[in-house]
Amino acid sequence: MLLLKKVGFLISLVFIVGLLAACSSGESTVKVDDVITKFKEAGLEAENATEITKDDMGMGPMRFEEGKRILVPSLGEDNGGRLFVFKDKSDLDELKSYYDEMGKSSAMLFSHTHANDHVLIQMNGDMEQAEFDKYAKVIDEL
């Protein structure tokens, strides 16, 4: 009887673990607005967030789940960066690589990029590295 209870418990446990694994898609539950809120809570500039459209992406791949452009007034008028959330990590890696390669091809096209989990930030290259590191730290702490 005790053996039967243990077997039943193990079967139930395996079923629950399998069910949880099936429900977990590996997708991020983070939203762009959540990240922007965290930036502001950390005292960082992230103003006038607007949805990213195909016109904002140029030749860049547009496979993100959610994307917003943010302004950083201390960098000057209409300067800032982009913040993305992805379902698929390979899509994130592709867009990060796109921005990184542009920066390698021309100093004029350099921008800072940082990714963690399903979140990518791309920020104007005129931003000081130390300031960009503060944004990256917020993303790492999500």
Side-chain angles (χ1 to χ4, degrees):
M1 188 63 131
L2 184 58
L3 179 61
L4 198 53
K5 284 184 179 182
K6 285 183 180 181
V7 170
F9 174 76
L10 286 175
I11 290 172
S12 297
L13 185 60
V14 168
F15 175 77
I16 290 170
V17 169
L19 186 61
L20 289 174
C23 291
S24 174
S25 63
E27 293 177 16
S28 177
T29 58
V30 174
K31 300 291 181 200
V32 168
D33 287 337
D34 299 335
V35 181
I36 292 169
T37 298
K38 294 290 185 186
F39 287 158
K40 290 181 178 188
E41 288 172 357
L44 301 172
E45 296 176 284
E47 309 304 322
N48 301 327
T50 56
E51 297 290 328
I52 292 177
T53 67
K54 62 181 176 63
D55 295 330
D56 297 316
M57 292 303 294
M59 298 292 290
M62 196 166 165
R63 295 191 191 106
F64 50 88
E65 178 178 343
E66 188 180 14
K68 288 196 176 180
R69 184 166 184 263
I70 56 173
L71 297 180
V72 177
S74 64
L75 291 175
E77 188 177 339
D78 204 37
N79 285 307
R82 296 175 178 99
L83 187 59
F84 305 94
V85 173
F86 293 81
K87 286 183 181 179
D88 187 331
K89 179 100 168 66
S90 65
D91 290 338
L92 179 152
D93 292 340
E94 183 180 357
L95 185 57
K96 184 176 186 318
S97 177
Y98 169 79
Y99 287 125
D100 292 345
E101 291 303 314
M102 279 191 351
K104 289 176 187 175
S105 69
S106 169
M108 187 173 78
L109 300 175
F110 172 77
S111 64
H112 299 282
T113 62
H114 180 76
N116 187 26
D117 193 25
H118 292 269
V119 178
L120 171 66
I121 187 169
Q122 179 261 336
M123 194 67 78
N124 185 307
D126 291 337
M127 179 178 276
E128 295 292 327
Q129 183 65 50
E131 186 67 12
F132 180 73
D133 290 344
K134 295 174 186 178
Y135 287 85
K137 182 180 179 191
V138 169
I139 289 172
D140 288 344
E141 293 175 348
L142 293 173

